[in-house]
Amino acid sequence: MKPILDIQDIYTYFYTESGVVEALDGVSFDVMPGEPVGIVGESGCGKTVTAHSTLRILPKNGKTIAGKIMYRGTNLLDLPDLQMRRIRGKEIAMIFQDPMTSLNPIFKIADQMTEVIALHRKCNKKEALEVAIETLEQVGISDADKRIVDYPHQFSGGMRQRILIARALALQPSLLIADEPTTALDVTIQAQVLEIIKEMQQKFGLAMMLITHNLGVVAEITKRVHIFYGGRVVESGPTVEIFTDPKHPYTRALFDSIPSLEKDKTRLETIPGNVPRLINPPKACRFHPRCKFATEVCSRVRPPDVWLGPQKRVVCHHFEELDLHVDETIMRKRVKVQEEA
Ligand code: SF4
């Protein structure tokens, strides 16, 4: 089977008054048809920029200067604007972080859904309205036929996010990009919205890129994970393997910084330092200023992608040696996840 989306060595830069922000620095990964994939990393690691590069919705000062973004065998970076507009929404849909900024407050939900449905599905307004109501019902909006004439402010945050999910799904996309879809919601609503996303992904067999910094969400929904750091992918693999046997020091540090009742420690582990500024980022391995395993070579030579299997990759000079010093907490997590699997 061929990937539905195959991102090959892309470089996306932003040109600012302070200098060039090297936001994506040779990012490569793929998504198979019907596969839910997690894109994980701290804020500022390039997750959202990857999504915006894919949809070609970067701000004016941003540009993908090299690489290919192959969607069903076509390089999206080569497509004329008109063709790209047809793919955006209809083929590849996106759910954004904040539902309030994605819905126009001065238009009724009906107007915001039917226009785009009629345009992409080439149907009349009445048919588009029927599709909109049906999709709203699928995502759990009760009395959808009446509520569709309400304005966004008449819905709660969770309901607004459901509306955005419905609007994305109504176009029957092949690939859904969900960018931190629950970040703006409170915890109880987050679980409901995630459940809907999971249900819809399975029901429609959608390929999905789920962007998040929440490893719990990744474990719940995805089959494969790509870990981002400093505008690069530092580790990829099946979700179970990443959870049971993380190879990269950054992935391990992410796991260690999850609060856990199992840990016999009173202090929460943190990753020292901050995510690097991507104007003049650290040379070679971008994680080296924060990595407790860094050696001289790490700041001098960029680590290569090492493939440990068809889907498993790690980008670190020392990952083989590190396997000898597995943290006890990680070991316990491995055992727990394996037992639950
Ligand atoms: Fe740490 Fe070096 Fe590996 Fe980078 S290459 S993650 S600095 S050990």
Side-chain angles (χ1 to χ4, degrees):
M1 204 190 325
K2 289 190 176 160
I4 187 165
L5 181 72
D6 188 6
I7 294 186
Q8 300 173 6
D9 205 21
I10 58 167
Y11 290 74
T12 296
Y13 290 176
F14 293 92
Y15 300 89
T16 70
E17 285 181 3
S18 314
V20 178
V21 180
E22 298 174 22
L24 297 183
D25 189 60
V27 165
S28 300
F29 67 90
D30 59 22
V31 182
M32 302 303 287
E35 183 190 35
V37 163
I39 306 291
V40 176
E42 291 164 280
S43 299
C45 283
K47 309 182 299 293
T48 298
V49 175
T50 303
H52 290 188
S53 301
T54 302
L55 284 170
R56 287 181 33 194
I57 52 172
L58 292 167
K60 279 206 175 99
N61 67 337
K63 190 165 171 51
T64 302
I65 56 160
K68 291 181 180 173
I69 300 176
M70 306 300 292
Y71 173 74
R72 293 187 187 280
T74 300
N75 186 2
L76 297 181
L77 298 177
D78 287 343
L79 282 185
D81 286 347
L82 186 63
Q83 271 176 273
M84 191 61 216
R85 271 207 292 275
R86 287 190 193 124
I87 285 183
R88 218 180 279 134
K90 173 76 185 102
E91 298 271 338
I92 307 175
M94 184 157 174
I95 304 169
F96 294 88
Q97 272 182 32
D98 185 352
M100 204 55 207
T101 54
S102 302
L103 289 167
N104 192 326
I106 62 167
F107 289 109
K108 293 174 181 171
I109 299 302
D111 298 329
Q112 301 195 48
M113 287 188 75
T114 52
E115 190 180 335
V116 71
I117 293 169
L119 180 73
H120 284 287
R121 287 178 66 152
K122 301 202 180 345
C123 58
N124 61 39
K125 263 205 141 177
K126 187 168 172 285
E127 288 163 337
L129 189 63
E130 282 166 14
V131 171
I133 292 169
E134 188 188 328
T135 328
L136 286 172
E137 281 167 354
Q138 283 174 345
V139 298
I141 304 279
S142 46
D143 297 326
D145 55 335
K146 297 188 184 72
R147 300 230 50 201
I148 198 162
V149 291
D150 286 346
Y151 289 91
H153 73 271
Q154 293 173 281
F155 293 87
S156 66
M159 287 292 178
R160 286 195 289 264
Q161 195 57 294
R162 286 172 196 240
I163 291 166
L164 288 179
I165 295 169
R167 190 170 70 176
L169 294 177
L171 303 180
Q172 300 175 317
S174 303
L175 173 65
L176 180 67
I177 301 176
D179 185 5
E180 305 267 11
T182 57
T183 300
L185 308 176
D186 57 43
V187 183
T188 48
I189 306 298
Q190 282 184 7
Q192 293 169 13
V193 170
L194 283 173
E195 196 49 44
I196 287 169
I197 291 176
K198 187 177 168 186
E199 203 182 301
M200 294 295 133
Q201 186 276 324
Q202 289 171 351
K203 185 171 174 183
F204 297 111
L206 281 174
M208 180 163 74
M209 255 169 77
L210 177 66
I211 297 172
T212 181
H213 57 263
N214 185 332
L215 287 161
V217 171
V218 167
E220 178 77 12
I221 294 186
T222 68
K223 295 269 183 276
R224 201 150 57 105
V225 187
H226 304 289
I227 308 284
F228 272 59
Y229 185 81
R232 296 174 182 167
V233 179
V234 294
E235 185 165 6
S236 295
T239 306
V240 172
E241 285 183 35
I242 296 283
F243 273 67
T244 54
D245 190 18
K247 297 284 187 195
H248 195 280
Y250 178 62
T251 315
R252 290 183 185 192
L254 283 179
F255 280 114
D256 279 347
S257 56
I258 299 173
S260 168
L261 292 173
E262 291 169 40
K263 289 179 184 171
D264 310 321
K265 295 173 186 170
T266 50
R267 286 178 70 87
L268 186 63
E269 301 272 345
T270 55
I271 307 174
N274 294 307
V275 173
R277 288 184 73 223
L278 297 177
I279 298 175
N280 292 323
K283 300 277 176 264
C285 175
R286 288 184 170 180
F287 189 52
H288 80 79
R290 304 174 76 189
C291 181
K292 60 184 175 189
F293 304 106
T295 62
E296 177 271 335
V297 72
C298 303
S299 55
R300 194 168 44 78
V301 181
R302 180 171 176 164
D305 287 15
V306 179
W307 288 91
L308 305 174
Q311 295 191 324
K312 180 105 174 107
R313 141 180 73 157
V314 60
V315 187
C316 169
H317 288 301
H318 299 304
F319 75 93
E320 282 170 305
E321 301 141 55
L322 300 180
D323 227 5
L324 300 173
H325 312 287
V326 176
D327 182 282
E328 198 194 330
T329 315
I330 291 176
M331 270 317 283
R332 280 211 295 268
K333 272 197 199 98
R334 289 180 185 189
V335 173
K336 189 163 181 283
V337 174
Q338 276 165 346
E339 280 172 356
E340 286 171 0

